[in-house]
Amino acid sequence: MSYGPPPTPPTPNPAPRTPSPTPTSPSTAPPTTLSPTTFSPTTGTSSPTPKSCCEPESLRDLILTKLYDGDDAEVVFRSSPQKDAIEWLEQDVCDCSRESCLTDDRLVQRYILAVLYYSTNGSSWPACSKPEDIESTDTCQVQSTYGVNIVTISDDVKVSEGFRWLTCNTECEWSGANCNNKNELGVIDMEKNIPGGNLPTEVGSLSKLLVLALEQSNLQGVIPTSYEKLTKLQILDFDFNILSGELIDLSRLTKLQQLDLNNNNLSGSIVSKGWQNLTVLQFVDLSYNEFTGQIPVEIGGLTTLRELYKKMKDGQSNSVTHVNFTTSFCMLF
């Protein structure tokens, strides 16, 4: 399909490291211009961590309070992936060498990424999975478009260079994950690196997230309603997965520029999803899903929307809409 003239992709800060790039498959995701945001990775240190940091019971209480409204630990942590994530985080705070203890926000952030890792069969990732040595500084690459440490392999292929996941290194430099200059996670972007699994609800608590892109990853299940809280989000890209269920409410995602959910098994109506609030939306692709009904009339009022793709599945008969809103709005179906 043709996306028309794409916006200019963001220019990341200079990368501090340059490992040799590894060829990967081309990406089909259309680039989108992000609002100006400084991504500045922070490298960890090798000084001994104060013993006071190693307090597993306090750590569990922190996670329960911040993410689960104080629910009972035996309920939250009794099974994977939350159980695996908290056990890894306990090892992280006790065994990793740091000058000082991590802040509560950093601990929660690392835990959420660990839940994402274990929810998506991280040990089977083709690249950047957890090494045996938690203090490993080995670098790796995943196909990625946004953030820092992006290396261009060809005109259509870019990769993110960074450390392997679930190591002592700052999570802001795990490959495919980037933070702003306050060490707040702003980007999770990996393509063709997740062999399956589900989207965890915990990701909805990453309140500073700008980009959430997990394309061509065989993800199953629904898009959690907790993602409706990602009010800073500019790019949501889950195309070419196996996601099902209904489209989440978009009314709070007022900074969203790109919504790319094509080639999934999403269903139901896309009416009354808060489209009228998406005043900076530039691109929507909902094609090759199982949505029913009409294109919401509110979409016609989005003057920034460049292109809309929507294909409805109806047995052997497919109807297709391609609307270019720079010239007109047309409602079909």
Side-chain angles (χ1 to χ4, degrees):
M1 62 181 68
S2 172
Y3 291 104
T8 304
T11 302
N13 291 338
R17 299 179 310 278
T18 309
S20 300
T22 302
T24 57
S25 302
S27 170
T28 58
T32 301
T33 302
L34 297 182
S35 299
T37 302
T38 301
F39 290 100
S40 179
T42 304
T43 306
T45 64
S46 58
S47 301
T49 304
K51 291 182 180 179
S52 59
C53 297
C54 183
E55 298 180 354
E57 193 64 33
S58 297
L59 183 62
R60 292 189 174 220
D61 289 342
L62 169 69
I63 299 300
L64 289 171
T65 300
K66 292 285 189 177
L67 295 178
Y68 303 109
D69 297 323
D71 288 349
D72 191 279
E74 293 184 2
V75 175
V76 175
F77 302 131
R78 66 182 174 187
S79 61
S80 297
Q82 288 77 13
K83 177 177 181 293
D84 291 335
I86 195 64
E87 289 177 352
W88 168 80
L89 189 60
E90 290 170 352
Q91 180 190 9
D92 177 65
V93 298
C94 292
D95 294 353
C96 292
S97 297
R98 298 186 178 95
E99 284 186 343
S100 59
C101 300
L102 295 172
T103 64
D104 287 355
D105 288 344
R106 291 285 303 284
L107 290 170
V108 171
Q109 186 167 268
R110 289 172 76 82
Y111 170 80
I112 293 173
L113 287 180
V115 173
L116 175 63
Y117 177 86
Y118 288 114
S119 296
T120 56
N121 304 323
S123 61
S124 298
W125 286 3
C128 300
S129 60
K130 177 181 178 292
E132 291 186 8
D133 179 11
I134 194 173
E135 293 191 311
S136 170
T137 56
D138 291 346
T139 57
C140 60
Q141 298 176 340
V142 294
Q143 192 166 329
S144 184
T145 304
Y146 308 100
V148 298
N149 298 338
I150 300 296
V151 175
T152 300
I153 302 298
S154 67
D155 290 343
D156 297 322
V157 180
K158 297 180 180 180
V159 296
S160 168
E161 300 179 331
F163 296 113
R164 295 174 68 173
W165 279 53
L166 303 197
T167 55
C168 296
N169 306 292
T170 170
E171 69 278 12
C172 299
E173 290 187 9
W174 293 348
S175 190
N178 294 141
C179 300
N180 60 26
N181 54 13
K182 296 181 180 180
N183 289 317
E184 298 164 328
L185 199 68
V187 173
I188 301 175
D189 181 12
M190 288 189 290
E191 183 174 349
K192 300 179 181 178
N193 198 51
I194 296 177
N198 299 277
L199 293 167
T201 60
E202 289 84 353
V203 171
S205 294
L206 295 172
S207 61
K208 306 299 182 181
L209 205 61
L210 303 179
V211 177
L212 181 54
L214 300 173
E215 306 170 72
Q216 303 186 53
S217 296
N218 292 316
L219 290 167
Q220 302 180 36
V222 302
I223 302 175
T225 56
S226 62
Y227 292 12
E228 298 171 0
K229 300 185 299 180
L230 297 173
T231 57
K232 304 290 186 183
L233 204 63
Q234 297 178 27
I235 296 174
L236 182 61
D237 192 346
F238 294 146
D239 66 7
F240 291 94
N241 282 288
I242 321 173
L243 296 170
S244 57
E246 295 190 359
L247 181 66
I248 61 173
D249 186 274
L250 305 170
S251 58
R252 297 176 63 186
L253 308 186
T254 57
K255 299 184 183 300
L256 198 64
Q257 297 182 28
Q258 176 178 317
L259 179 63
D260 205 354
L261 300 176
N262 60 283
N263 292 80
N264 279 282
N265 294 324
L266 298 169
S267 60
S269 173
I270 62 172
V271 174
S272 301
K273 296 296 183 180
W275 296 100
Q276 67 277 7
N277 294 347
L278 308 186
T279 56
V280 295
L281 190 64
Q282 298 182 34
F283 178 90
V284 179
D285 191 346
L286 304 179
S287 62
Y288 295 98
N289 279 285
E290 298 179 3
F291 293 118
T292 56
Q294 295 181 321
I295 298 176
V297 67
E298 293 85 358
I299 292 181
L302 302 179
T303 58
T304 59
L305 191 60
R306 295 186 301 113
E307 297 182 62
L308 169 70
Y309 289 90
K310 188 173 186 293
K311 179 171 288 187
M312 308 285 288
K313 291 181 180 178
D314 183 15
Q316 300 300 315
S317 175
N318 290 331
S319 54
V320 185
T321 292
H322 173 193
V323 183
N324 187 330
F325 287 93
T326 61
T327 57
S328 64
F329 173 72
C330 174
M331 180 175 291
L332 299 180
F333 312 116

